[in-house]
Structures are given as structure tokens and as C-alpha cells.
């Protein structure tokens, strides 16, 4: 099969495109013919070694896929050849990635693609949407009627958070650039504030039940000031940040700060997120703002562009069919 892979950790120049042996599924695995994969910032962390995780070399890169089942092991009998499926947790913890014509997926990390869902739109959103779900509900405990602040709501994770929180009955206050305000409102935000306006957040003091900053700035002093009693801050980005925590103000509000990385999510947590994601995919309310379709052989270039901040909110899809 053709694949994009590395033989050692390194820069984007370490990525090779060429032939590798077809993968062999185990008894609880499913062999999938890949329609499309995508590139996430975390994929660059794995490739470079910033995020340390067990890898077997040659290592096929990437994390998400949509595709079609070729065969399923006896322990993954829920799947049949021809099923359209997706996954968003390959490419780490000893699992090979899906940047290839074929990929092996553990049966408990594979989900059916809803009827009528566009596979390219789906693969673009399943990783950001799972991150959004975990932040809002698994770790944030969001409930209907609460007020959530989504900072960076026009981005890939932020837009999914806005859709999911609004759909769950929360009041969504979003921050974004002024030119993105209309788009963010279309996702369900009740208020959209210009993040560049230093006075914009002043009226929110004491109103926020759940605070999520998808930009990774992690200004905890500002965040704690916004919290309502028993408010929660969930950290999900900004691995190199070292903010100052106003601990006294936090505990006087019965508040909390919690962080998570999606790579540590259990199969059960991801499966719960997949139920919500599939519901929104089927309804057509969860979709990417912009996608770019590229051949699988362009993987190294996409990694460079991500590290240089060159995608500007677009999702880059890698399609094996474009290399034919």
C-alpha cells in the first residue's frame, strides 16, 4: 500500500511517501480502506517527539480517518465489509496512523458514518468535535441552563464547542475576531465578543459556569475573575504555558481548574463522544468551515504549514485517491 510515514522522530522532512506492506488486522480489529485522513496539530507533536507515545517504525502518521470496511476480525463482528466508518484515535499509544490506503482500527475505536453524511466533512470535524465534547461534558460537566464561555469560537475546536453547547441547552458566550462574529452566531452563540477588545469581558465577571480557552493562552487570572460560584475552568491547549493561578480567588468561589489531552481519553469516553458527534453529523449541524483536499503525498508540506500557522482555520484533508 502507499502511505505517508516516518522512520524516526524529526521535522516534517522526516515524512516519507511510498510503499509499505499491507497491515494485517488482529482478531478484534477492522481493516479499513481509507477514503480520507487529515492533519491535526497533535500529529505534528507525535512526529516531532514533543508528545511522547509508543511508536513502531516505520510509523504511519495521522490520527483520523473515514473509509470503508474491507474485513473485520471475529472480535469485531459488529462491522461488515462495505460499512462506511470513521475513527479519530489512531496514530499514538502503539497504534499505527491512517495516512495510507489501508489502516487497521481496533473495533472499539471505530464508528459507523451516519447515512447521508459527507465523508470529507466528517473526517474534518471528528477530532475537533471529540475534543469539544470531552472539554464540555466529560471534564467540564456542562448542564443545560449554564453559561459557558468559549474563547476562540471561530476555530475548529471552538466552533464544535459552540454547536455542542448550544445544542445541549447552555447559554454560549463566545470570543472571536469581529469579522468572525456572524459565523459564530450562526453556530448558536448567544453573545459574541471581540477578543481584541480589553473591555469586552468586564460585564461577564461572576457569570461564567464553564470557561474553555481553545487558543491556549490560558490567562487564569482573567478566567477566575469571570467564574460564577462553583465555576469550572477546563484547560485543553497551550502545552508550554505557565500562567499564574489566583488560588485564593478560585477557592473562595468553590471553583476548579482541570486539564485534559484527548490522547488520554479512554475508548469508552471516545465512544460516548462519537454518539453525540454522529447525531450532529446526521442532522447536518456539525460541519467544517473550510477544507482543503490534497493528495496523501502532500503530508510533509501540510505538517510544515501547520507548524508555521499557515492553514488559518482550514482543515487539510489527505486523500489517497488523489495520488493515483
Amino acid at each position: 500500500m502507499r502511505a505517508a510515514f516516518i522512520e524516526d522522530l524529526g521535522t516534517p522532512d522526516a515524512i516519507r511517501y511510498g510503499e509499505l506492506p499491507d497491515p494485517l488486522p488482529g482478531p478484534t480489529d477492522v481493516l479499513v480502506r481509507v477514503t480520507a485522513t487529515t492533519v491535526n496539530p497533535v500529529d505534528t507533536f507525535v512526529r516531532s517527539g514533543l508528545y511522547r507515545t509508543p511508536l513502531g517504525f516505520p510509523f504511519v502518521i495521522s490520527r483520523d480517518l473515514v473509509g470503508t470496511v474491507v474485513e473485520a476480525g471475529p472480535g469485531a463482528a459488529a462491522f461488515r465489509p462495505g460499512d462506511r466508518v470513521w475513527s479519530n484515535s489512531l496514530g499514538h499509544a502503539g497504534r499505527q496512523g491512517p495516512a495510507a490506503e489501508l489502516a487497521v482500527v481496533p473495533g472499539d475505536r471505530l464508528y459507523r458514518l451516519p447515512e447521508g453524511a459527507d465523508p470529507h466533512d466528517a473526517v474534518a470535524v471528528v477530532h475537533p468535535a471529540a475534543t469539544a465534547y470531552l472539554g464540555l461534558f466529560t471534564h467540564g460537566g456542562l448542564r443545560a441552563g449554564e453559561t459557558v464561555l468559549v474563547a476562540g469560537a471561530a476555530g475548529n475546536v471552538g466552533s464544535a464547542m459552540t454547536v455542542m453547547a448550544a445544542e445541549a441547552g447552555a447559554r454560549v458566550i463566545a470570543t472571536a475576531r469581529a469579522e468572525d462574529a456572524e459565523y459564530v452566531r450562526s453556530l448558536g452563540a448567544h453573545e459574541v465578543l471581540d477578543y481584541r477588545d480589553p473591555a469586552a469581558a468586564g460585564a461577564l465577571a461572576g457569570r461564567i459556569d464553564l470557561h474553555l480557552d481553545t487558543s491556549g493562552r490560558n490567562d487564569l487570572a482573567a478566567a477566575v475573575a469571570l467564574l460564577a460560584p462553583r465555576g469550572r475552568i477546563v484547560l485543553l491547549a497551550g502545552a508550554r504555558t505557565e500562567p499564574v493561578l489566583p488560588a485564593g480567588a478560585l477557592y473562595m468561589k468553590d471553583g476548579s481548574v482541570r486539564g485534559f489531552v484527548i490522547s488520554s481519553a479512554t475508548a469508552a469516553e471516545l465512544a460516548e463522544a462519537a454518539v453525540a458527534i454522529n447525531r450532529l453529523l446526521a442532522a447536518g449541524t456539525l460541519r467544517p468551515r473550510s477544507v482543503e483536499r490534497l493528495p496523501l503525498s502532500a503530508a510533509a508540506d501540510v505538517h510544515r504549514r501547520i507548524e508555521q500557522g499557515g492553514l488559518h482555520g482550514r482543515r487539510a484533508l489527505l486523500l489517497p485517491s488523489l495520488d493515483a
Side-chain angles (χ1 to χ4, degrees):
M1 68 174 184
R2 292 169 299 174
F5 60 94
I6 58 174
E7 296 177 303
D8 203 352
L9 300 176
T11 69
D13 291 337
I15 298 174
R16 303 285 180 260
Y17 173 74
E19 294 286 335
L20 288 178
D22 291 354
L24 299 175
T28 60
D29 296 331
V30 180
L31 182 66
V32 177
R33 183 165 298 281
V34 178
T35 300
T37 185
T38 188
V39 182
N40 302 292
V42 69
D43 300 331
T44 71
F45 302 160
V46 172
R47 184 218 71 235
S48 66
L50 177 63
Y51 176 69
R52 291 289 180 171
T53 185
L55 304 178
F57 296 105
F59 171 71
V60 179
I61 60 173
S62 290
R63 181 165 296 213
D64 317 319
L65 70 75
V66 290
T68 304
V69 171
V70 176
E71 64 174 286
F79 296 99
R80 295 285 185 271
D83 287 348
R84 296 201 313 160
V85 291
W86 63 272
S87 180
N88 60 356
S89 59
L90 302 180
H92 67 103
R95 294 180 290 275
Q96 288 281 323
E101 294 180 296
L102 295 167
V104 166
V105 187
D108 62 351
R109 291 175 179 268
L110 190 66
Y111 322 107
R112 282 187 175 79
L113 190 67
E115 191 69 30
D118 181 274
H120 295 160
D121 284 353
V123 77
V125 300
V126 293
H127 183 76
T131 303
Y133 183 91
L134 292 169
L136 289 168
F137 304 107
T138 307
H139 299 286
L142 184 65
R143 296 179 291 274
E146 289 192 315
T147 298
V148 56
L149 175 69
V150 178
N156 296 311
V157 175
S159 60
M161 277 184 176
T162 301
V163 168
M164 289 182 161
E167 195 256 356
R171 179 173 182 80
V172 182
I173 299 176
T175 69
R177 298 181 302 176
E179 53 266 38
D180 290 324
E182 183 176 349
Y183 168 67
V184 174
R185 288 191 190 93
S186 76
L187 302 174
H190 297 81
E191 296 181 50
V192 183
L193 307 177
D194 187 341
Y195 80 92
R196 293 170 295 193
D197 180 357
L204 302 180
R207 293 174 53 192
I208 304 302
D209 298 299
L210 178 61
H211 184 289
L212 304 111
D213 181 0
T214 68
S215 74
R217 292 184 181 88
N218 296 331
D219 183 344
L220 294 184
V224 169
L226 300 182
L227 290 185
R230 298 200 171 179
R232 291 92 64 199
I233 299 168
V234 174
L235 306 178
L236 64 150
R240 296 183 178 91
T241 59
E242 297 182 355
V244 174
L245 174 67
L250 180 70
Y251 82 73
M252 291 294 285
K253 290 187 173 187
D254 284 353
S256 64
V257 179
R258 185 170 184 175
F260 81 97
V261 291
I262 191 171
S263 297
S264 297
T266 67
E269 288 169 340
L270 291 171
E272 181 180 287
V275 173
I277 291 168
N278 271 352
R279 184 179 69 250
L280 295 172
L281 286 174
T285 55
L286 187 61
R287 54 190 181 275
R289 187 177 187 180
S290 176
V291 299
E292 185 176 348
R293 295 170 176 83
L294 298 164
L296 188 58
S297 54
D301 182 58
V302 176
H303 274 238
R304 289 187 197 97
R305 290 169 62 196
I306 284 185
E307 290 181 339
Q308 295 166 2
L311 288 183
H312 302 295
R314 293 192 306 278
R315 293 287 280 158
L317 310 187
L318 301 177
L319 281 60
S321 63
L322 294 184
D323 290 285

